mmCIF file of all heavy atoms in Angstrom:
data_model
loop_
_atom_site.group_PDB
_atom_site.id
_atom_site.type_symbol
_atom_site.label_atom_id
_atom_site.label_comp_id
_atom_site.label_asym_id
_atom_site.label_seq_id
_atom_site.Cartn_x
_atom_site.Cartn_y
_atom_site.Cartn_z
ATOM 1 N N MET A 1496 -12.410 4.683 -16.394
ATOM 2 C CA MET A 1496 -12.200 5.176 -15.059
ATOM 3 C C MET A 1496 -11.701 6.613 -15.099
ATOM 4 O O MET A 1496 -10.830 7.024 -15.807
ATOM 5 C CB MET A 1496 -11.018 4.228 -14.367
ATOM 6 C CG MET A 1496 -10.936 4.543 -12.904
ATOM 7 S SD MET A 1496 -9.674 3.533 -12.102
ATOM 8 C CE MET A 1496 -10.625 1.946 -12.015
ATOM 9 N N THR A 1497 -12.386 7.463 -14.175
ATOM 10 C CA THR A 1497 -11.948 8.750 -14.281
ATOM 11 C C THR A 1497 -10.747 9.116 -13.470
ATOM 12 O O THR A 1497 -10.187 8.176 -12.763
ATOM 13 C CB THR A 1497 -13.125 9.714 -13.475
ATOM 14 O OG1 THR A 1497 -13.200 9.233 -12.105
ATOM 15 C CG2 THR A 1497 -14.571 9.386 -14.088
ATOM 16 N N LEU A 1498 -10.195 10.348 -13.646
ATOM 17 C CA LEU A 1498 -8.894 10.636 -12.898
ATOM 18 C C LEU A 1498 -9.172 10.461 -11.463
ATOM 19 O O LEU A 1498 -8.295 10.000 -10.616
ATOM 20 C CB LEU A 1498 -8.604 12.116 -13.218
ATOM 21 C CG LEU A 1498 -7.348 12.586 -12.498
ATOM 22 C CD1 LEU A 1498 -6.081 11.762 -12.683
ATOM 23 C CD2 LEU A 1498 -6.986 14.064 -12.883
ATOM 24 N N ARG A 1499 -10.201 10.993 -10.785
ATOM 25 C CA ARG A 1499 -10.514 10.892 -9.429
ATOM 26 C C ARG A 1499 -10.560 9.439 -8.968
ATOM 27 O O ARG A 1499 -10.124 9.107 -7.911
ATOM 28 C CB ARG A 1499 -11.756 11.640 -9.018
ATOM 29 C CG ARG A 1499 -11.827 11.914 -7.552
ATOM 30 C CD ARG A 1499 -13.109 11.613 -6.762
ATOM 31 N NE ARG A 1499 -13.952 10.550 -7.203
ATOM 32 C CZ ARG A 1499 -13.819 9.270 -6.735
ATOM 33 N NH1 ARG A 1499 -13.089 8.915 -5.832
ATOM 34 N NH2 ARG A 1499 -14.805 8.417 -7.252
ATOM 35 N N GLU A 1500 -11.136 8.607 -9.786
ATOM 36 C CA GLU A 1500 -11.208 7.196 -9.429
ATOM 37 C C GLU A 1500 -9.760 6.616 -9.404
ATOM 38 O O GLU A 1500 -9.500 5.733 -8.549
ATOM 39 C CB GLU A 1500 -12.151 6.430 -10.435
ATOM 40 C CG GLU A 1500 -13.590 6.851 -10.257
ATOM 41 C CD GLU A 1500 -14.412 6.261 -11.297
ATOM 42 O OE1 GLU A 1500 -14.005 6.101 -12.369
ATOM 43 O OE2 GLU A 1500 -15.764 5.997 -10.989
ATOM 44 N N LYS A 1501 -9.069 7.016 -10.364
ATOM 45 C CA LYS A 1501 -7.666 6.378 -10.461
ATOM 46 C C LYS A 1501 -6.830 6.915 -9.194
ATOM 47 O O LYS A 1501 -6.035 6.151 -8.494
ATOM 48 C CB LYS A 1501 -6.927 6.918 -11.661
ATOM 49 C CG LYS A 1501 -7.409 6.276 -12.917
ATOM 50 C CD LYS A 1501 -6.576 6.717 -14.144
ATOM 51 C CE LYS A 1501 -7.149 6.078 -15.436
ATOM 52 N NZ LYS A 1501 -6.450 6.633 -16.526
ATOM 53 N N GLN A 1502 -7.045 8.291 -8.772
ATOM 54 C CA GLN A 1502 -6.440 8.726 -7.608
ATOM 55 C C GLN A 1502 -6.855 7.945 -6.331
ATOM 56 O O GLN A 1502 -5.931 7.702 -5.414
ATOM 57 C CB GLN A 1502 -6.650 10.286 -7.475
ATOM 58 C CG GLN A 1502 -6.161 11.094 -8.522
ATOM 59 C CD GLN A 1502 -6.583 12.524 -8.530
ATOM 60 O OE1 GLN A 1502 -7.639 12.775 -8.075
ATOM 61 N NE2 GLN A 1502 -5.754 13.340 -9.032
ATOM 62 N N SER A 1503 -8.039 7.598 -6.316
ATOM 63 C CA SER A 1503 -8.570 6.856 -5.182
ATOM 64 C C SER A 1503 -7.966 5.537 -5.065
ATOM 65 O O SER A 1503 -7.634 4.925 -3.965
ATOM 66 C CB SER A 1503 -10.109 6.705 -5.157
ATOM 67 O OG SER A 1503 -10.635 7.996 -4.957
ATOM 68 N N GLU A 1504 -7.857 4.844 -6.161
ATOM 69 C CA GLU A 1504 -7.192 3.485 -6.231
ATOM 70 C C GLU A 1504 -5.718 3.615 -5.844
ATOM 71 O O GLU A 1504 -5.207 2.699 -5.056
ATOM 72 C CB GLU A 1504 -7.407 2.902 -7.715
ATOM 73 C CG GLU A 1504 -8.728 2.348 -7.945
ATOM 74 C CD GLU A 1504 -9.212 1.264 -7.055
ATOM 75 O OE1 GLU A 1504 -8.410 0.254 -6.784
ATOM 76 O OE2 GLU A 1504 -10.296 1.329 -6.475
ATOM 77 N N PHE A 1505 -5.041 4.578 -6.344
ATOM 78 C CA PHE A 1505 -3.680 4.796 -5.939
ATOM 79 C C PHE A 1505 -3.575 5.062 -4.495
ATOM 80 O O PHE A 1505 -2.698 4.387 -3.771
ATOM 81 C CB PHE A 1505 -3.100 6.064 -6.716
ATOM 82 C CG PHE A 1505 -1.704 6.508 -6.476
ATOM 83 C CD1 PHE A 1505 -0.704 5.507 -6.646
ATOM 84 C CD2 PHE A 1505 -1.340 7.770 -6.036
ATOM 85 C CE1 PHE A 1505 0.618 5.812 -6.341
ATOM 86 C CE2 PHE A 1505 -0.045 8.119 -5.879
ATOM 87 C CZ PHE A 1505 0.981 7.100 -5.902
ATOM 88 N N PHE A 1539 2.994 11.634 -14.212
ATOM 89 C CA PHE A 1539 1.861 11.188 -13.442
ATOM 90 C C PHE A 1539 1.914 11.952 -12.038
ATOM 91 O O PHE A 1539 0.922 11.988 -11.364
ATOM 92 C CB PHE A 1539 1.847 9.655 -13.314
ATOM 93 C CG PHE A 1539 0.997 9.124 -14.378
ATOM 94 C CD1 PHE A 1539 1.286 9.316 -15.659
ATOM 95 C CD2 PHE A 1539 -0.060 8.225 -14.070
ATOM 96 C CE1 PHE A 1539 0.531 8.731 -16.730
ATOM 97 C CE2 PHE A 1539 -0.793 7.770 -15.134
ATOM 98 C CZ PHE A 1539 -0.558 7.995 -16.383
ATOM 99 N N LYS A 1542 -0.653 14.533 -12.053
ATOM 100 C CA LYS A 1542 -2.029 14.086 -11.818
ATOM 101 C C LYS A 1542 -2.271 13.507 -10.444
ATOM 102 O O LYS A 1542 -3.410 12.852 -10.195
ATOM 103 C CB LYS A 1542 -2.294 12.998 -12.907
ATOM 104 C CG LYS A 1542 -2.169 13.476 -14.307
ATOM 105 C CD LYS A 1542 -2.424 12.329 -15.339
ATOM 106 C CE LYS A 1542 -2.322 12.772 -16.729
ATOM 107 N NZ LYS A 1542 -2.484 11.660 -17.612
ATOM 108 N N ARG A 1543 -1.315 13.512 -9.597
ATOM 109 C CA ARG A 1543 -1.408 12.906 -8.208
ATOM 110 C C ARG A 1543 -1.697 11.459 -8.344
ATOM 111 O O ARG A 1543 -2.311 10.878 -7.552
ATOM 112 C CB ARG A 1543 -2.577 13.554 -7.365
ATOM 113 C CG ARG A 1543 -2.205 15.003 -6.976
ATOM 114 C CD ARG A 1543 -3.443 15.561 -6.192
ATOM 115 N NE ARG A 1543 -4.692 15.476 -6.847
ATOM 116 C CZ ARG A 1543 -5.549 16.429 -7.044
ATOM 117 N NH1 ARG A 1543 -5.205 17.530 -6.585
ATOM 118 N NH2 ARG A 1543 -6.689 16.206 -7.731
ATOM 119 N N LEU A 1544 -0.940 10.893 -9.237
ATOM 120 C CA LEU A 1544 -0.938 9.436 -9.548
ATOM 121 C C LEU A 1544 0.571 8.810 -9.391
ATOM 122 O O LEU A 1544 0.792 7.688 -9.883
ATOM 123 C CB LEU A 1544 -1.432 9.087 -10.979
ATOM 124 C CG LEU A 1544 -2.964 9.381 -11.006
ATOM 125 C CD1 LEU A 1544 -3.419 9.113 -12.449
ATOM 126 C CD2 LEU A 1544 -3.773 8.378 -10.095
ATOM 127 N N TRP A 1589 0.560 4.914 -10.871
ATOM 128 C CA TRP A 1589 -0.748 4.244 -11.017
ATOM 129 C C TRP A 1589 -1.424 4.732 -12.129
ATOM 130 O O TRP A 1589 -1.527 5.921 -12.478
ATOM 131 C CB TRP A 1589 -1.552 4.440 -9.647
ATOM 132 C CG TRP A 1589 -2.676 3.492 -9.633
ATOM 133 C CD1 TRP A 1589 -3.980 3.769 -10.020
ATOM 134 C CD2 TRP A 1589 -2.612 2.118 -9.202
ATOM 135 N NE1 TRP A 1589 -4.738 2.562 -9.795
ATOM 136 C CE2 TRP A 1589 -3.899 1.542 -9.362
ATOM 137 C CE3 TRP A 1589 -1.618 1.259 -8.706
ATOM 138 C CZ2 TRP A 1589 -4.162 0.292 -8.925
ATOM 139 C CZ3 TRP A 1589 -1.884 0.009 -8.313
ATOM 140 C CH2 TRP A 1589 -3.237 -0.480 -8.480
ATOM 141 N N GLY A 1590 -2.133 3.806 -12.877
ATOM 142 C CA GLY A 1590 -3.018 4.166 -13.924
ATOM 143 C C GLY A 1590 -2.555 4.407 -15.378
ATOM 144 O O GLY A 1590 -3.211 4.856 -16.232
ATOM 145 N N GLU A 1591 -1.322 4.022 -15.561
ATOM 146 C CA GLU A 1591 -0.819 4.100 -16.999
ATOM 147 C C GLU A 1591 -1.577 3.178 -17.911
ATOM 148 O O GLU A 1591 -2.074 2.170 -17.488
ATOM 149 C CB GLU A 1591 0.617 3.768 -17.131
ATOM 150 C CG GLU A 1591 1.487 4.922 -16.722
ATOM 151 C CD GLU A 1591 1.956 5.012 -15.291
ATOM 152 O OE1 GLU A 1591 1.341 4.241 -14.496
ATOM 153 O OE2 GLU A 1591 2.802 5.793 -14.994
#
Side-chain angles (χ1 to χ4, degrees):
M1496 185 176 286
T1497 68
L1498 175 58
R1499 198 227 28 97
E1500 289 169 333
K1501 288 179 184 178
Q1502 290 168 339
S1503 291
E1504 285 300 309
F1505 180 53
F1539 273 53
K1542 297 177 183 181
R1543 294 182 303 231
L1544 291 172
W1589 192 264
E1591 279 94 346

